[in-house]
Protein backbone atom coordinates (compact mmCIF):
# COMPACT_ATOMS: atom_id res chain seq x y z
CA UNK A 1 0.00 0.00 0.00
CA UNK A 2 1.45 3.38 -0.97
CA UNK A 3 0.90 5.03 2.41
CA UNK A 4 2.20 8.58 2.47
CA UNK A 5 2.29 8.79 -1.35
CA UNK A 6 1.21 11.99 -3.10
CA UNK A 7 -2.40 12.21 -4.23
CA UNK A 8 -3.78 12.48 -7.76
CA UNK A 9 -6.08 15.50 -7.47
CA UNK A 10 -3.27 18.00 -7.92
CA UNK A 11 -3.45 19.33 -4.33
CA UNK A 12 -0.93 18.85 -1.51
CA UNK A 13 -2.96 15.95 -0.07
CA UNK A 14 -1.79 12.33 0.11
CA UNK A 15 -3.18 9.56 -2.07
CA UNK A 16 -5.39 8.23 0.71
CA UNK A 17 -6.75 11.69 1.57
CA UNK A 18 -7.73 12.09 -2.09
CA UNK A 19 -9.36 8.65 -2.10
CA UNK A 20 -11.39 9.46 1.03
CA UNK A 21 -12.41 12.94 -0.20
CA UNK A 22 -13.68 11.41 -3.46
CA UNK A 23 -15.26 8.41 -1.74
CA UNK A 24 -17.36 10.75 0.40
CA UNK A 25 -18.57 12.37 -2.82
CA UNK A 26 -20.12 8.98 -3.65
CA UNK A 27 -21.21 8.04 -0.11
CA UNK A 28 -23.37 11.15 0.47
CA UNK A 29 -25.67 10.80 -2.60
CA UNK A 30 -25.94 7.01 -2.15
CA UNK A 31 -26.90 7.54 1.50
CA UNK A 32 -29.55 10.09 0.48
CA UNK A 33 -30.86 7.64 -2.13
CA UNK A 34 -31.05 4.85 0.48
CA UNK A 35 -33.06 7.03 2.89
CA UNK A 36 -35.33 8.16 0.02
CA UNK A 37 -35.91 4.52 -1.03
CA UNK A 38 -36.91 3.40 2.45
CA UNK A 39 -38.93 6.50 3.32
CA UNK A 40 -40.92 7.05 0.13
CA UNK A 41 -40.66 3.72 -1.75
CA UNK A 42 -40.69 1.22 1.13
CA UNK A 43 -37.69 -0.59 -0.38
CA UNK A 44 -36.62 -2.06 2.95
CA UNK A 45 -34.37 -4.85 1.63
CA UNK A 46 -32.59 -2.54 -0.81
CA UNK A 47 -32.10 0.01 2.00
CA UNK A 48 -30.52 -2.71 4.15
CA UNK A 49 -28.19 -3.82 1.34
CA UNK A 50 -27.08 -0.25 0.59
CA UNK A 51 -26.52 0.60 4.27
CA UNK A 52 -24.46 -2.55 4.90
CA UNK A 53 -22.40 -1.86 1.76
CA UNK A 54 -21.85 1.77 2.82
CA UNK A 55 -20.96 0.67 6.36
CA UNK A 56 -18.40 -1.86 5.07
CA UNK A 57 -16.92 0.60 2.57
CA UNK A 58 -16.60 3.25 5.28
CA UNK A 59 -14.94 0.78 7.64
CA UNK A 60 -12.30 -0.18 5.04
CA UNK A 61 -11.76 3.51 4.23
CA UNK A 62 -11.30 4.47 7.88
CA UNK A 63 -8.71 1.69 8.43
CA UNK A 64 -6.69 2.60 5.30
CA UNK A 65 -6.98 6.26 6.15
CA UNK A 66 -5.77 5.77 9.73
CA UNK A 67 -2.79 3.77 8.47
CA UNK A 68 -1.97 6.53 5.99
CA UNK A 69 -2.19 9.25 8.64
CA UNK A 70 -0.01 7.29 11.07
CA UNK A 71 2.60 6.12 8.57
CA UNK A 72 2.68 9.14 6.26
CA UNK A 73 1.41 12.01 8.43
CA UNK A 74 -0.27 15.10 7.01
CA UNK A 75 1.08 18.13 8.94
CA UNK A 76 3.99 18.72 6.58
CA UNK A 77 1.52 18.76 3.67
CA UNK A 78 -0.51 21.55 5.32
CA UNK A 79 2.50 23.74 6.20
CA UNK A 80 2.18 25.85 3.04
CA UNK A 81 -1.47 26.66 3.79
CA UNK A 82 -2.14 30.31 4.77
CA UNK A 83 -4.63 28.87 7.30
CA UNK A 84 -2.04 26.77 9.19
CA UNK A 85 -1.31 29.59 11.67
CA UNK A 86 2.37 29.88 10.76
CA UNK A 87 2.45 33.66 11.33
CA UNK A 88 0.88 33.37 14.79
CA UNK A 89 -2.66 33.80 13.49
CA UNK A 90 -5.47 31.33 14.23
CA UNK A 91 -4.65 27.82 13.06
CA UNK A 92 -7.85 27.23 11.08
CA UNK A 93 -6.51 23.92 9.78
CA UNK A 94 -6.46 22.52 13.33
CA UNK A 95 -9.77 24.16 14.22
CA UNK A 96 -11.49 22.66 11.17
CA UNK A 97 -9.92 19.25 11.91
CA UNK A 98 -11.18 19.34 15.52
CA UNK A 99 -14.71 20.17 14.32
CA UNK A 100 -14.49 17.45 11.67
CA UNK A 101 -13.34 14.87 14.23
CA UNK A 102 -16.35 15.61 16.47
CA UNK A 103 -18.65 14.57 13.62
CA UNK A 104 -16.42 11.70 12.44
CA UNK A 105 -16.17 10.06 15.88
CA UNK A 106 -19.88 10.39 16.72
CA UNK A 107 -20.75 9.13 13.21
CA UNK A 108 -18.63 6.01 13.63
CA UNK A 109 -20.27 5.22 16.98
CA UNK A 110 -23.80 5.95 15.70
CA UNK A 111 -23.35 3.85 12.54
CA UNK A 112 -22.06 0.84 14.46
CA UNK A 113 -24.94 1.04 16.98
CA UNK A 114 -27.66 1.70 14.35
CA UNK A 115 -26.47 -1.17 12.12
CA UNK A 116 -25.99 -3.61 15.01
CA UNK A 117 -29.41 -2.83 16.48
CA UNK A 118 -31.12 -2.95 13.05
CA UNK A 119 -29.63 -6.38 12.29
CA UNK A 120 -30.69 -7.67 15.70
CA UNK A 121 -34.18 -6.16 15.84
CA UNK A 122 -35.58 -6.10 12.29
CA UNK A 123 -36.63 -9.43 10.77
CA UNK A 124 -34.80 -10.71 7.70
CA UNK A 125 -35.87 -9.67 5.10
CA UNK A 126 -36.42 -6.34 6.90
CA UNK A 127 -39.87 -4.85 7.39
CA UNK A 128 -41.18 -2.22 9.85
CA UNK A 129 -41.41 -3.53 13.42
CA UNK A 130 -41.42 -2.39 17.04
CA UNK A 131 -37.83 -1.25 16.43
CA UNK A 132 -38.97 1.25 13.73
CA UNK A 133 -39.43 4.32 15.94
CA UNK A 134 -35.94 4.01 17.50
CA UNK A 135 -34.38 3.23 14.13
CA UNK A 136 -36.04 6.14 12.31
CA UNK A 137 -34.84 8.61 14.95
CA UNK A 138 -31.26 7.35 15.33
CA UNK A 139 -30.96 6.31 11.66
CA UNK A 140 -31.73 9.88 10.65
CA UNK A 141 -29.24 11.19 13.24
CA UNK A 142 -26.59 8.79 11.88
CA UNK A 143 -27.29 9.86 8.29
CA UNK A 144 -27.16 13.60 9.08
CA UNK A 145 -24.00 13.07 11.17
CA UNK A 146 -22.33 11.34 8.20
CA UNK A 147 -23.24 14.20 5.84
CA UNK A 148 -21.78 16.67 8.37
CA UNK A 149 -18.65 14.49 8.57
CA UNK A 150 -18.25 14.69 4.80
CA UNK A 151 -18.85 18.45 4.60
CA UNK A 152 -16.49 19.30 7.48
CA UNK A 153 -13.92 16.87 6.02
CA UNK A 154 -14.01 18.70 2.69
CA UNK A 155 -13.61 22.03 4.48
CA UNK A 156 -10.53 20.69 6.30
CA UNK A 157 -9.15 19.27 3.04
CA UNK A 158 -9.64 22.65 1.33
CA UNK A 159 -8.05 24.70 4.13
CA UNK A 160 -5.10 22.32 4.63
CA UNK A 161 -4.23 21.13 1.16
CA UNK A 162 -5.82 23.37 -1.49
CA UNK A 163 -5.28 26.97 -0.37
C1 LIG B 1 -26.13 3.25 9.53
C2 LIG B 1 -26.99 2.55 8.84
C3 LIG B 1 -28.42 2.96 8.62
C4 LIG B 1 -28.94 4.22 8.53
C5 LIG B 1 -28.20 5.54 8.62
C6 LIG B 1 -30.37 4.06 8.33
C7 LIG B 1 -31.26 5.10 8.19
C8 LIG B 1 -32.63 4.97 8.14
C9 LIG B 1 -33.56 6.05 8.17
C10 LIG B 1 -33.19 7.54 8.26
C11 LIG B 1 -34.81 5.51 8.12
C12 LIG B 1 -36.15 6.26 8.24
C13 LIG B 1 -36.74 6.78 6.99
C14 LIG B 1 -38.06 7.42 7.38
O1 LIG B 1 -38.04 8.54 7.91
O2 LIG B 1 -39.10 6.81 7.16
C15 LIG B 1 -34.67 4.08 8.03
C16 LIG B 1 -35.72 3.19 7.97
C17 LIG B 1 -35.58 1.81 7.95
N1 LIG B 1 -34.40 1.12 7.99
FE1 LIG B 1 -32.54 1.89 8.13
N2 LIG B 1 -30.68 2.72 8.29
C18 LIG B 1 -29.52 2.01 8.47
C19 LIG B 1 -29.38 0.63 8.49
C20 LIG B 1 -30.41 -0.27 8.37
C21 LIG B 1 -30.26 -1.71 8.39
C22 LIG B 1 -28.91 -2.46 8.54
C23 LIG B 1 -31.50 -2.25 8.26
C24 LIG B 1 -31.95 -3.67 8.24
C25 LIG B 1 -31.43 -4.63 8.97
C26 LIG B 1 -32.44 -1.13 8.16
C27 LIG B 1 -33.80 -1.26 8.02
C28 LIG B 1 -34.69 -0.23 7.98
C29 LIG B 1 -36.14 -0.40 7.94
C30 LIG B 1 -36.91 -1.72 7.93
C31 LIG B 1 -36.69 0.89 7.92
C32 LIG B 1 -38.17 1.26 7.88
C33 LIG B 1 -38.66 1.56 9.27
C34 LIG B 1 -40.09 2.02 9.20
O3 LIG B 1 -40.38 2.95 8.43
O4 LIG B 1 -40.90 1.48 9.94
N3 LIG B 1 -31.74 0.06 8.23
N4 LIG B 1 -33.33 3.79 8.07
Amino acid sequence: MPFGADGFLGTRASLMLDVVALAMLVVVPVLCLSVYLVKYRRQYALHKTIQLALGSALLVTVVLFEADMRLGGWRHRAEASPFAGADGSTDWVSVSLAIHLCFAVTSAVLWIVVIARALRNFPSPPVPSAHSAWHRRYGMAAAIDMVCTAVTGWIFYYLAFVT
Side-chain angles (χ1 to χ4, degrees):
M1 269 291 164
F3 294 124
D6 287 344
F8 50 86
L9 291 178
T11 67
R12 289 187 299 275
S14 67
L15 179 64
M16 222 46 91
L17 275 157
D18 281 359
V19 169
V20 177
L22 277 188
M24 294 313 282
L25 220 49
V26 177
V27 167
V28 170
V30 173
L31 175 59
C32 293
L33 175 71
S34 175
V35 172
Y36 166 81
L37 285 173
V38 77
K39 194 174 164 85
Y40 298 106
R41 296 285 165 105
R42 298 180 192 177
Q43 300 267 10
Y44 306 117
L46 186 53
H47 168 71
K48 174 181 177 178
T49 307
I50 295 176
Q51 291 310 129
L52 292 181
L54 283 180
S56 315
L58 284 164
L59 193 67
V60 172
T61 312
V62 167
V63 171
L64 291 178
F65 187 62
E66 269 297 306
D68 188 54
M69 292 297 98
R70 271 160 217 275
L71 298 176
W74 62 271
R75 264 282 164 204
H76 62 290
R77 295 181 176 280
E79 262 163 20
S81 164
F83 297 101
D87 55 356
S89 59
T90 306
D91 180 357
W92 290 111
V93 169
S94 296
V95 172
S96 65
L97 179 62
I99 295 171
H100 169 63
L101 287 178
C102 293
F103 289 109
V105 170
T106 50
S107 275
V109 174
L110 268 177
W111 273 59
I112 289 168
V113 174
V114 167
I115 290 179
R117 293 209 66 195
L119 289 176
R120 207 175 309 139
N121 294 300
F122 282 126
S124 188
V127 282
S129 74
H131 180 59
S132 288
W134 188 95
H135 182 82
R136 276 200 296 266
R137 172 175 298 181
Y138 286 92
M140 195 55 89
I144 291 170
D145 207 1
M146 187 55 73
V147 173
C148 293
T149 301
V151 172
T152 54
W154 289 325
I155 292 171
F156 164 69
Y157 182 102
Y158 178 78
L159 292 177
F161 312 116
V162 180
T163 57

